[in-house]
Amino acid sequence: MHRLLDVLPVFEGDERVLVRFTLVPGSVFDADAFAALERSGARTVSWEEARASEHDLILTASPKGALRVLSGPGVLLPHGAGFNKTVSGDGSPRIPSGLDPHYLLVDGEPWAALHALAHDEQLTRLAEYCPSAAARAAVVGDPTLDRLLGSLAHRGNYRSTLGTGERRLIVLTSTWGPESLLARRPELPGELISQLPHDEYQLALVLHPNEYSRTSAFDLSRHLAPALSGGLALARPYEEWAALLVAADAVVTDHGSTALYAAALGRPVIGAYDGGSELIPGSPMAKMLAQVPRLAKAADLVHVLPAAEAHDTRGFAEAAFALPGQALQRLQSELYSLLRLRPRTVPVAPHPLPHPAAPQRPLALAVRAEVSGCRISIERFPSFTSEAVHHLAAEHPEAGQRHVQSASVLWRRARPASPAPHTSTWTAAGWTARVLEDAPGCRTAAAILSPERCLVRHRSAGPLSIRIEPCTTTDRVLRTDPGAVVSAVHAWLGATPQWALPVSLVCEIGPLTVRVGLAPADEADLTYEL
């Protein structure tokens, strides 16, 4: 259904064409499909009504189900990045999904008037398995790929929405079924996020819509709760997966075709498929997985990533996608020919992908700190990590009572002024003093006033002002999380018995090295309203 939405721009500006959706009975994913259609504002009709009507054109991205009972010329649209896998117990044994004559033929004749394909290689394979369907096929390209390519200019905006900054965004992709990454290695997202330094890496997960539907968003949020609390971005089923690929720095994948879209964008690809019966030998996906580095265990990612970055993955995608940027124009020509209409003169173009949702911000982080004179190196991990760490830092009070009571560092971020007529707000000085009274285990309380300015109150050193210099290049300004700087200052104060203010510190946090000024607390910081 989502594939159909990517094709519908071919009819934009044409009041002669009315679009109605129906769902073929028998799918276990009906509920989510209906929900997606409702969100899109599309008009649906019942299956009974669809069967009773004559249609000028029937568009589908899958040949399965009782489509043959509908009246009108049918079009099978590109679905996925070619024919890479077979589905056990579905159709003819060992025939790639999408090429099975059992679904493509009715009484020995092709059901579809047009079989739209993304690449000549797919046409060759269709001719091998179902020659009569291949006689009605045309290579038009892939409209979904064109949406990704057309959205590349938005990459910076997507990363900004995700809060990626200068971190590397690693996207895990999982297809559906018993051989998928999430079925075979359900622990991998949590393991990766617990071992990757939070200020160097961001992790996202893309699931096939069928897997999302089978499990449900409710159960997925429970199964992935630790990883989500550690900052994992979980793509919703439609469009967000593609925006995450545009934003990504690398992809870890099973045998699902999503990774071929990533390869078409030039993203490094790392294999995480443990083998099985679904992947078709010689398919574009099989060829790619045979050549890219493989992730055997989570701890290997930082070592495997440089090898993946040395591969130019675009060559793998060239065997799955042809005619980049031309799919909608070619489909418009084919579809209007079947409708026996002349297309409107309105230019057709893929819609840019919408921004993905921001992931949950970690509320408690375990911090590894190394202090050498006035230079501090910081690595932060989710609170459930097994890594050796120096202290726990948590956001007060959102992190919860358990973390608040055990954290050595507690911070709070300043909020915009309330529009309410009656207000009561803490000053930075008042809040930091109160936190040290209420949390006896806390050594440092910090009010984060802005990305460049904090007030910290250390149990021994008292209140201090922090100034964080942004990293500047010729054309960019780069900032790190002030919470990491607060942990660096906390570690330095604990490791430095004698010092005199003002002090200039150098903090190494992920890919950035920032200079930090530490001085006696000034009045503006002390009285700042939180």
Side-chain angles (χ1 to χ4, degrees):
M1 188 276 297
H2 296 146
R3 294 283 174 163
L4 302 180
L5 295 175
D6 285 345
V7 169
L8 291 183
V10 301
F11 302 120
E12 286 184 352
D14 194 339
E15 77 287 351
R16 298 169 298 174
V17 177
L18 297 178
V19 176
R20 299 292 182 262
F21 287 84
T22 191
L23 294 176
V24 179
S27 172
V28 296
F29 310 115
D30 280 358
D32 280 341
F34 271 121
L37 287 172
E38 185 174 349
R39 286 193 299 270
S40 73
R43 171 82 178 273
T44 61
V45 297
S46 69
W47 179 249
E48 291 72 21
E49 183 179 349
R51 286 190 60 179
S53 303
E54 178 77 22
H55 309 287
D56 297 300
L57 202 60
I58 301 166
L59 304 181
T60 180
S62 170
K64 298 177 181 179
L67 291 163
R68 64 196 67 190
V69 304
L70 298 179
S71 179
V75 177
L76 277 169
L77 297 166
H79 184 172
F83 308 113
N84 299 297
K85 60 186 287 190
T86 182
V87 180
S88 177
D90 187 11
S92 306
R94 297 302 302 160
I95 291 184
S97 182
L99 297 179
D100 192 345
H102 175 75
Y103 294 113
L104 299 179
L105 303 180
V106 177
D107 297 328
E109 291 296 319
W111 169 81
L114 171 66
H115 201 119
L117 300 171
H119 195 278
D120 293 298
E121 184 266 352
Q122 296 164 23
L123 181 57
T124 300
R125 298 181 72 198
L126 180 60
E128 175 186 351
Y129 287 97
C130 193
S132 57
R136 299 186 182 183
V139 176
V140 299
D142 188 295
T144 299
L145 174 64
D146 289 354
R147 285 197 76 187
L148 274 83
L149 295 173
S151 299
L152 284 172
H154 299 267
R155 172 177 162 85
N157 293 334
Y158 299 153
R159 290 173 67 89
S160 179
T161 300
L162 292 165
T164 307
E166 291 300 295
R167 297 182 292 172
R168 286 176 168 174
L169 174 58
I170 310 298
V171 175
L172 306 182
T173 74
S174 177
T175 188
W176 65 295
E179 296 182 11
S180 69
L181 184 147
L182 207 61
R184 291 274 186 84
R185 304 172 71 175
E187 74 290 342
L188 186 60
E191 287 179 350
L192 283 171
I193 210 159
S194 72
Q195 296 175 21
L196 296 173
H198 174 72
D199 297 296
E200 289 187 57
Y201 297 92
Q202 186 178 32
L203 197 68
L205 176 61
V206 167
L207 298 178
H208 191 285
N210 288 358
E211 183 63 25
Y212 212 107
S213 180
R214 183 191 69 82
T215 308
S216 83
F218 177 80
D219 277 331
L220 279 171
S221 65
R222 292 191 307 105
H223 299 167
L224 297 168
L228 292 170
S229 71
L232 174 73
L234 177 61
R236 290 173 290 195
Y238 177 48
E239 298 181 314
E240 279 197 5
W241 70 270
L244 285 172
L245 291 190
V246 172
D249 293 295
V251 168
V252 177
T253 185
D254 56 18
H255 59 309
S257 62
T258 300
L260 280 168
Y261 288 99
L265 301 178
R267 303 293 180 257
V269 174
I270 298 169
Y273 179 52
D274 293 333
S277 61
E278 293 183 353
L279 183 62
I280 300 296
S283 65
M285 192 68 200
K287 291 178 180 179
M288 182 169 73
L289 288 178
Q291 296 185 50
V292 299
R294 185 176 181 279
L295 184 68
K297 57 182 185 294
D300 293 342
L301 181 63
V302 295
H303 308 295
V304 172
L305 187 56
E309 291 172 336
H311 276 74
D312 187 347
T313 58
R314 285 168 291 194
F316 300 122
E318 289 173 359
F321 305 111
L323 309 172
Q326 301 181 41
L328 290 184
Q329 290 88 342
R330 288 177 175 265
L331 275 169
Q332 184 186 56
S333 175
E334 296 285 352
L335 298 183
Y336 272 86
S337 176
L338 289 170
L339 287 170
R340 299 179 181 179
L341 292 174
R342 184 184 297 275
R344 297 298 195 204
T345 57
V346 178
V348 294
H351 295 169
L353 296 162
H355 288 207
Q360 180 179 334
R361 188 177 69 244
L363 302 176
L365 290 160
V367 184
R368 177 187 293 159
E370 294 183 7
V371 179
S372 177
C374 289
R375 181 176 288 267
I376 310 102
S377 176
I378 290 292
E379 288 184 321
R380 300 189 297 169
F381 304 88
S383 59
F384 54 86
T385 186
S386 59
E387 300 287 320
V389 296
H390 177 267
H391 66 268
L392 179 70
E395 185 166 357
H396 183 285
E398 285 81 0
Q401 190 68 11
R402 180 171 64 89
H403 287 136
V404 166
Q405 290 299 323
S406 57
S408 299
V409 175
L410 292 172
W411 79 86
R412 172 176 171 172
R413 301 179 192 272
R415 300 180 178 89
S418 170
H422 302 283
T423 62
S424 176
T425 59
W426 284 101
T427 64
W431 180 82
T432 53
R434 179 61 178 270
V435 165
L436 292 184
E437 289 180 13
D438 291 347
C442 177
R443 302 295 300 169
T444 300
I448 298 174
L449 312 181
S450 77
E452 299 173 8
R453 178 181 167 198
C454 304
L455 177 78
V456 299
R457 188 183 294 271
H458 187 264
R459 199 168 285 278
S460 301
L464 304 167
S465 286
I466 293 176
R467 295 294 181 267
I468 307 167
E469 293 185 17
C471 299
T472 57
T473 66
T474 55
D475 55 359
R476 303 180 69 196
V477 178
L478 313 175
R479 291 183 173 88
T480 192
D481 180 0
V485 174
V486 169
S487 281
V489 170
H490 168 80
W492 182 82
L493 289 172
T496 310
Q498 294 184 339
W499 43 270
L501 298 177
V503 174
S504 180
L505 305 177
V506 176
C507 299
E508 298 172 346
I509 303 168
L512 300 182
T513 298
V514 297
R515 294 193 172 275
V516 175
L518 195 60
D522 64 32
E523 188 66 18
D525 288 354
L526 292 166
T527 59
Y528 195 97
E529 293 186 28
L530 300 179

